[in-house]
């Protein structure tokens, strides 16, 4: 059975899970702040979404990061590395793409993770 967790937008959910896999997506809860803070807020939401479905950031297997300005990628990389920690066993495969995002959104992150057992 597929589990779905509603978000704030119509027509899509913030997270879904099927068997041992979890998918979630997030943007910053405050788009009035600068890129580094939006990145932190986005990653905090990713972690909360994963926990809600029985996983966490140490169980992410794949991540896609979409940023509005690729010149900001080194900032995102630093925040990302600090957020994940020093254990390479907790580092997922990750891609980062420069894209046009809506409004004042500067970053969007989507991940696939494995549920804990």
């Amino acid at each position: 059975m597929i589990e779905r967790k509603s978000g704030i937008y119509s027509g899509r959910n913030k997270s879904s899970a099927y068997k041992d896999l979890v998918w979630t997506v997030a943007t910053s809860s405050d788009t009035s702040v600068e890129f580094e803070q939006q990145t932190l807020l986005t990653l905090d939401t990713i972690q909360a979404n994963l926990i809600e479905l029985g996983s966490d950031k140490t169980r992410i297997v794949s991540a896609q990061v979409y940023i509005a300005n690729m010149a900001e990628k080194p900032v995102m990389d630093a925040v990302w590395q600090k957020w994940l920690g020093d254990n390479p066993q907790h580092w997922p495969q990750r891609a980062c793409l420069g894209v046009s995002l809506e409004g004042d959104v500067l970053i969007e992150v989507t991940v696939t993770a494995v549920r804990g057992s």
Side-chain angles (χ1 to χ4, degrees):
M1 172 190 248
I2 299 172
E3 293 178 62
R4 301 179 198 277
K5 297 295 181 177
S6 297
I8 60 173
Y9 300 105
S10 180
R12 55 190 161 172
N13 289 303
K14 66 180 180 179
S15 303
S16 299
Y18 180 71
K19 296 185 179 181
D20 291 337
L21 294 177
V22 176
W23 296 266
T24 192
V25 62
T27 58
S28 178
S29 57
D30 183 353
T31 59
S32 70
V33 296
E34 297 298 320
F35 181 75
E36 182 174 6
Q37 187 63 28
Q38 281 200 33
T39 301
L40 287 166
L41 292 170
T42 299
L43 295 176
D44 286 348
T45 300
I46 289 288
Q47 174 71 335
N49 291 352
L50 290 172
I51 289 170
E52 185 177 32
L53 283 169
S55 190
D56 66 60
K57 66 184 177 182
T58 67
R59 300 179 66 78
I60 297 171
V61 293
S62 180
Q64 294 74 43
V65 178
Y66 305 95
I67 59 177
N69 180 356
M70 284 301 281
E72 302 261 34
K73 186 177 180 291
V75 173
M76 183 277 302
D77 284 336
V79 172
W80 177 268
Q81 290 170 10
K82 184 176 179 183
W83 181 71
L84 281 178
D86 295 332
N87 186 343
Q89 293 302 310
H90 297 164
W91 299 347
Q93 166 279 329
R94 189 196 84 191
C96 183
L97 299 94
V99 300
S100 179
L101 294 167
E102 183 179 18
D104 294 327
V105 173
L106 302 177
I107 184 169
E108 184 168 356
V109 177
T110 181
V111 303
T112 303
V114 177
R115 290 201 231 209
S117 50

